[in-house]
Amino acid sequence: MSARVNPRRVRRLKDSHPGPGPVVYWLSRDQRARDNWALLHAQDLALEAARPLAAVFCLVPTFLGAALRQYAFMLRGLAETAHTLAQHHIPLLLVQGRPEEEIPRLLTALRARVLVTDFDPLRIKREWKAGVLAQVELPVLEVDAHNIIPCWLASPKQEWAAYSFRPKVRRALPEFLTDFPELLPHPHRLGPPDPWPPVEDLLRSLPVDRSVAEVPKPLPGEAAAGQALTEFIARRLSRYPQDRNDPGKNGQSGLSPYLHFGQLAPQRAAWEVFRAEAPPEAREAFLEELIVRRELSDNFCYYQPRYDEVAGFPDWARKTLDEHRSDPREYLYSLEELEAARTHDELWNAAQREMVLTGRMHGYLRMYWAKKILEWSPDPETALRTATYLNDRYELDGRDPNGYVGIAWSLGGVHDRAFAERPIFGKIRYMSRQSLARKFDLRDYLLRFAS
Ligand code: FAD
Ligand code: FO1
């Protein structure tokens, strides 16, 4: 069996004697059967050793402020993936609780040969992985199945802006932006897995905040993700450059929840867009966001340990925000007032309502939304906490490197440059309601999300 996965996507986290049992893939960030380099590598290892292959998902009761809305989307998608894997004779095992306890326990019970994990730069995931590594005695590998260019290869350091990251991405794309091999039906059986529990039972067992209700769309799961990609490419990719920033138009792809939960491989989206019948400038504009911007977010969270703190902002930004800490705030709103969209700014209120009601907010308004929180909070630390709390509580795509970077860009000039100095913001880029109203016709948007 020739290696189907570029070995440069694989890192060895632990060396040890392989066990006598199956190969195990701990599925976490990349929750899909298709187009999953970590799963494909685990299958290669299992085929080479003529061993069964099992995947495992560890369901944690709380995750960075996620509520019913996000757990439901994730678990409905996982149920579909479990079914697809079972059809390939690869059981998706479910364990519940702390990964540091549950994963080692499962590996011991199965006498696993080797553990394959997927890559995630978030602190919580590194802690989980460190906890597991400290307790197991078997080889452990990590595969970046989320970034087209493995994060640790794209750049050896924190990049300060897209312009220095882009050439590194362009140079590496020919090697890594490829199609995917198919997942094979696995010839070595582990024995029938327990059936995947009904999603409703799982949701009932979780202490999730049920006041953040599920949203009717987008539909969760790998099949719906594939349809959303096809629909976007067929109907809206061509006008992406013109329409993507206009809140009055449906110009964005809507793919972020699928990408966040790993139900769609970013590389699948890139590969299909790269080959699509569409104006080159439209494909280019989309790939800039999907590859450069998204992978730059992983770069920031991977190399900047304080990616969700003011301390993680660049020095010039922290300095300018400090110089304006005591500027008078014309408006100050509490978390409750902001959460209830009770400010003087009807556009901000509409964006907040869009997020609370639909689980998403238009990308251009997300910048405006976060920047106003800086303007209406007593200090940058409170603003960062508020923006992160609201984003991760209501957004389907929240709790993601893109979110921490989106908020840090808006409040703290991460990956951005200095602008003319002004009150409160200092040299952080400012966005005014007037500048938005000049660019876009916001009447429809305001009507749709009026109180
Ligand atoms: P499209 O415009 O169709 O782009 C396609 C994909 O490209 C996105 O799904 C995303 O993976 C990537 N992308 C697009 N814009 C960006 C960007 N600015 N930075 C990084 N990747 C990008 N994105 C999240 O996934 N989760 C979040 O929690 C999140 N929070 C944000 C908070 C703020 C304050 C800001 C300013 C941005 C945030 N973003 C977040 C980034 C961006 O707004 C969303 O990825 C995008 O709006 C998702 O909609 P879409 O998939 O239709 O985007
Ligand atoms: N990953 C897991 O391995 N187990 C979980 O129970 C889990 C819950 C969860 C809830 C909301 C959410 O947005 C993400 C969640 N994740 C979970 C992580 C997710 O799969 C992604 O890996 C990261 O959030 C993206 O970096």
Side-chain angles (χ1 to χ4, degrees):
M1 163 53 64
S2 68
R4 294 176 293 169
V5 179
N6 183 330
R8 293 194 333 126
R9 283 189 185 284
V10 186
R11 278 198 304 192
R12 182 171 290 279
L13 299 184
K14 185 170 195 128
D15 224 340
S16 181
H17 304 291
V23 170
V24 175
Y25 163 43
W26 173 14
L27 172 146
S28 177
R29 188 171 201 197
D30 297 285
Q31 299 173 14
R32 62 182 178 275
R34 270 190 80 207
D35 303 337
N36 184 333
W37 291 122
L39 178 62
L40 287 163
H41 185 62
Q43 181 166 59
D44 280 356
L45 295 175
L47 291 171
E48 269 160 29
R51 292 293 168 81
L53 169 61
V56 57
F57 182 78
C58 184
L59 178 58
V60 296
T62 59
F63 187 87
L64 301 178
L68 173 66
R69 173 174 291 175
Q70 295 87 4
Y71 271 94
F73 186 88
M74 182 181 75
L75 288 170
R76 295 191 195 290
L78 269 173
E80 180 185 318
T81 295
H83 179 69
T84 306
L85 287 173
Q87 289 176 321
H88 289 75
H89 314 300
I90 301 168
L92 175 55
L93 307 172
L94 176 67
V95 294
Q96 297 193 48
R98 287 167 40 82
E100 301 89 327
E101 292 162 13
E102 297 306 326
I103 297 296
R105 181 174 305 157
L106 177 83
L107 294 170
T108 304
L110 292 174
R111 302 177 69 205
R113 175 178 176 75
V114 58
L115 173 66
V116 177
T117 67
D118 47 37
F119 169 79
D120 192 325
L122 293 188
R123 184 178 310 115
I124 186 170
K125 300 298 202 68
R126 294 175 173 214
E127 287 164 358
W128 289 357
K129 215 168 271 186
V132 169
L133 280 175
Q135 298 175 74
V136 296
E137 263 318 314
L138 83 168
V140 181
L141 304 172
E142 179 180 62
V143 182
D144 189 342
H146 199 77
N147 294 299
I148 293 162
I149 301 148
C151 188
W152 58 84
L153 294 182
S155 171
K157 65 177 180 57
Q158 178 180 337
E159 294 290 332
W160 295 102
Y163 75 81
S164 61
F165 188 60
R166 193 174 297 112
K168 295 175 180 166
V169 167
R170 285 202 187 295
R171 250 196 317 275
L173 271 187
E175 176 185 354
F176 290 104
L177 181 48
T178 66
D179 198 351
F180 286 91
E182 290 286 321
L183 180 69
L184 301 170
H186 203 68
H188 314 291
R189 312 286 163 91
L190 188 65
D194 301 339
W196 189 265
V199 172
E200 306 312 329
D201 294 357
L202 286 177
L203 289 173
R204 253 195 301 283
S205 73
L206 291 169
V208 286
D209 180 340
R210 318 187 88 77
S211 66
V212 184
E214 280 194 72
V215 286
K217 63 183 178 60
L219 288 175
E222 291 189 53
Q227 284 150 21
L229 174 64
T230 304
E231 183 271 335
F232 170 67
I233 289 174
R235 306 258 300 279
R236 294 179 292 122
L237 172 60
S238 299
R239 289 198 46 83
Y240 183 75
Q242 301 89 324
D243 291 353
R244 72 186 180 98
N245 284 331
D246 186 340
K249 297 211 175 80
N250 178 21
Q252 292 189 279
S253 68
L255 294 176
S256 59
Y258 297 121
L259 299 172
H260 166 69
F261 285 103
Q263 296 172 5
L264 171 69
Q267 185 166 337
R268 170 58 61 194
W271 181 249
E272 298 305 333
V273 165
F274 192 70
R275 302 180 313 146
E277 284 293 308
E281 66 277 5
R283 287 185 281 126
E284 203 44 47
F286 186 78
L287 293 176
E288 167 70 13
E289 300 302 323
L290 177 72
I291 305 176
V292 177
R293 283 282 158 198
R294 188 183 48 78
E295 307 208 351
L296 184 60
S297 297
D298 263 38
N299 169 276
F300 184 73
C301 294
Y302 184 58
Y303 288 113
Q304 173 48 267
R306 309 182 76 173
Y307 57 77
D308 54 354
E309 298 173 54
V310 171
F313 294 173
D315 294 347
W316 68 266
R318 277 186 294 114
K319 182 168 173 293
T320 196
L321 286 168
D322 281 344
E323 284 160 3
H324 292 269
R325 255 179 209 284
S326 53
D327 288 6
R329 265 77 173 156
E330 188 185 352
Y331 294 96
L332 271 179
Y333 291 110
S334 68
L335 173 61
E336 293 67 30
E337 288 168 320
L338 294 168
E339 188 162 22
R342 279 206 312 272
T343 76
H344 68 287
D345 180 334
E346 57 170 358
L347 175 59
W348 192 92
N349 294 341
Q352 175 66 18
R353 277 193 210 97
E354 177 188 16
M355 177 178 69
V356 169
L357 293 173
T358 70
R360 78 174 287 272
M361 185 190 296
H362 188 276
Y364 200 81
L365 288 178
R366 286 179 106 160
M367 298 185 280
Y368 178 77
W369 173 85
K371 287 177 180 290
K372 287 299 157 195
I373 292 175
L374 174 64
E375 192 171 341
W376 303 332
S377 294
D379 54 63
E381 290 76 10
T382 305
L384 186 66
R385 261 197 317 279
T386 299
T388 305
Y389 168 79
L390 294 173
N391 184 79
D392 288 0
R393 178 171 164 77
Y394 293 106
E395 292 278 359
L396 264 183
D397 67 10
R399 301 154 305 285
D400 190 280
N402 289 343
Y404 298 112
V405 171
I407 291 167
W409 178 91
S410 302
L411 309 187
V414 165
H415 302 149
D416 202 2
R417 63 177 176 82
F419 283 76
E421 191 148 8
R422 56 178 299 125
I424 303 177
F425 284 77
K427 298 173 188 157
I428 303 290
R429 180 197 298 257
Y430 184 70
M431 283 175 79
S432 73
R433 170 77 191 276
Q434 292 68 20
S435 70
L436 266 83
R438 268 198 307 277
K439 282 194 187 118
F440 310 115
D441 176 350
L442 297 165
R443 279 172 304 182
D444 285 354
Y445 185 80
L446 288 168
L447 275 176
R448 275 177 61 207
F449 297 105
S451 58

